[in-house]
Amino acid sequence: MNYELIDAHSHLWLNVDTEVDGSPIHALNPNRSRSLFFGEERQMLPPFMTDGQNTAEVFLSNMDYAQVGGAVVVQEVIDGNQNDYLQQVQQRYPDRFFCMGMAWTVDEAAAVLAAGLKGIALPCHRYHEPLQTLMPLFKYMEQHDMVLSMCLADDERQISQMREVIQECPRLRVAIGHFGMVTTPSFEQQVKLALEGPNVMIESGGITWLYNAEFYPYPSAVRSIREAADWVGWDRLMWGSDYPRTITAITYRMSYDFITKSQELTDDQKARFLGKNALRFYGFKNLPELPYIKNMSE
């Protein structure tokens, strides 16, 4: 069966040169696919991406090869603010990408909206204040129908705070990332946030990272997806790859084909998880038809 594929959690950047909690994060020379990350050398990009840039064009090549029609681009503070670059990406490829800005205030959110970006990504697992301090931002986003991409710490305090945000802003469209930190004790309560409001979704960006110790084909990840569906239903779950960091370990196609190859899920469940739910939630239109292209090794 051919599935319509939409990646609900990916990243793009031109250059990484930032500081988080006093620690520098930047690309290293001469192999610029590696970065200084909180004092350690890390493989931030696949080793063939040698200029330190994680561009839309390289991602589109991966998407076309893997038959992924569209992708949601979120942001992380460890990559630095990429609003200017993502504005260009959104303008250049409006049918393939749904780009999120980064903003922490109403004024910053207004600038993101004016730039033509369609939502705001908040890596709140790195935010040290109560989420209620961002309530004016959330209300502005609700008023202007902006999507909120939210990653939470594995922290009961943040879960209860997010529950209050959802209740205060019932029309706000929210996508909870990292599949509710699936390998931590907070998994069930994060996923069940989708029961708090009609517009809350759970996306699986980072699930292959969280199950990296088990590795492909991630049978425990499949079981966790089924468990989450038991709690909130299949219409609240979306696939995400966390490209490009996850493809330092696997290929882009492998970030979803452990789902398509699984015998534990029905075709309808796979179709909803891999694309149908994201199509409805983000409103992608005019996605291309991408034929399967054989490898030279086949």
Side-chain angles (χ1 to χ4, degrees):
M1 180 174 177
N2 292 324
Y3 302 98
E4 189 160 43
L5 302 170
I6 297 175
D7 188 342
H9 188 121
S10 65
H11 299 272
L12 295 173
W13 61 78
L14 274 187
N15 293 288
V16 172
D17 188 5
T18 189
E19 185 176 291
V20 178
D21 295 333
S23 295
I25 301 175
H26 57 78
L28 294 171
N29 286 312
N31 182 356
R32 290 175 56 84
S33 62
R34 293 183 181 175
S35 293
L36 180 68
F37 183 76
F38 293 114
E40 296 182 344
E41 185 173 331
R42 292 288 185 91
Q43 192 73 40
M44 186 74 79
L45 291 169
F48 54 79
M49 295 167 68
T50 57
D51 61 0
Q53 295 187 340
N54 167 35
T55 65
E57 288 73 25
V58 173
F59 189 23
L60 281 169
S61 180
N62 275 279
M63 290 168 62
D64 289 350
Y65 168 73
Q67 298 173 277
V68 175
V72 179
V73 182
V74 303
Q75 295 200 50
E76 235 277 29
V77 293
I78 62 174
D79 303 330
N81 188 308
Q82 300 293 325
N83 286 355
D84 290 344
Y85 178 55
L86 294 187
Q87 178 184 3
Q88 297 174 37
V89 171
Q90 190 66 66
Q91 292 173 346
R92 196 174 303 155
Y93 307 108
D95 295 333
R96 303 297 300 275
F97 292 116
F98 186 109
C99 293
M100 300 276 192
M102 185 178 288
W104 299 95
T105 69
V106 170
D107 287 345
E108 291 174 349
V112 165
L113 187 62
L117 300 181
K118 302 181 178 185
I120 291 172
L122 294 182
C124 279
H125 56 305
R126 304 189 192 278
Y127 186 68
H128 305 304
E129 300 297 325
L131 298 184
Q132 287 85 346
T133 62
L134 299 171
M135 196 66 78
L137 171 65
F138 299 140
K139 288 185 176 295
Y140 177 90
M141 293 179 65
E142 181 186 35
Q143 179 184 356
H144 291 85
D145 194 30
M146 301 178 75
V147 176
L148 171 63
S149 171
M150 173 72 79
C151 289
L152 300 172
D154 52 344
D155 184 322
E156 291 292 328
R157 178 179 53 86
Q158 276 201 334
I159 295 170
S160 62
Q161 291 170 6
M162 193 63 209
R163 187 176 297 116
E164 182 177 334
V165 170
I166 294 166
Q167 292 169 353
E168 284 286 316
C169 305
R171 291 182 292 107
L172 178 63
R173 288 188 287 161
V174 181
I176 305 292
H178 293 166
F179 213 60
M181 291 302 291
V182 59
T183 56
T184 74
S186 73
F187 171 47
E188 181 174 357
Q189 292 307 309
Q190 284 205 34
V191 169
K192 286 185 175 180
L193 286 170
L195 300 176
E196 297 294 329
N199 301 304
V200 183
M201 304 288 284
I202 309 297
E203 48 92 341
S204 73
I207 196 169
T208 61
W209 150 59
L210 289 161
Y211 280 108
N212 184 65
E214 179 180 85
F215 208 63
Y216 186 87
Y218 308 108
S220 296
V222 174
R223 287 191 290 270
S224 294
I225 292 167
R226 291 182 60 190
E227 188 172 29
D230 288 341
W231 294 331
V232 302
W234 281 100
D235 287 338
R236 296 299 186 99
L237 307 180
M238 303 183 292
W239 164 65
S241 70
D242 212 357
Y243 173 99
R245 280 180 277 267
T246 48
I247 66 165
T248 59
I250 58 176
T251 68
Y252 186 49
R253 185 184 293 275
M254 290 166 69
S255 70
Y256 73 79
D257 75 354
F258 74 96
I259 298 294
T260 63
K261 293 176 180 177
S262 173
Q263 300 300 308
E264 298 187 41
L265 307 176
T266 69
D267 281 340
D268 179 65
Q269 290 165 351
K270 294 173 184 178
R272 283 191 271 177
F273 182 72
L274 291 171
K276 282 187 176 181
N277 294 339
L279 184 69
R280 180 190 73 249
F281 185 71
Y282 294 103
F284 279 92
K285 295 180 175 64
N286 304 315
L287 294 175
E289 292 187 14
L290 299 168
Y292 179 75
I293 304 299
K294 292 180 66 174
N295 291 323
M296 286 294 293
S297 58
E298 290 183 80

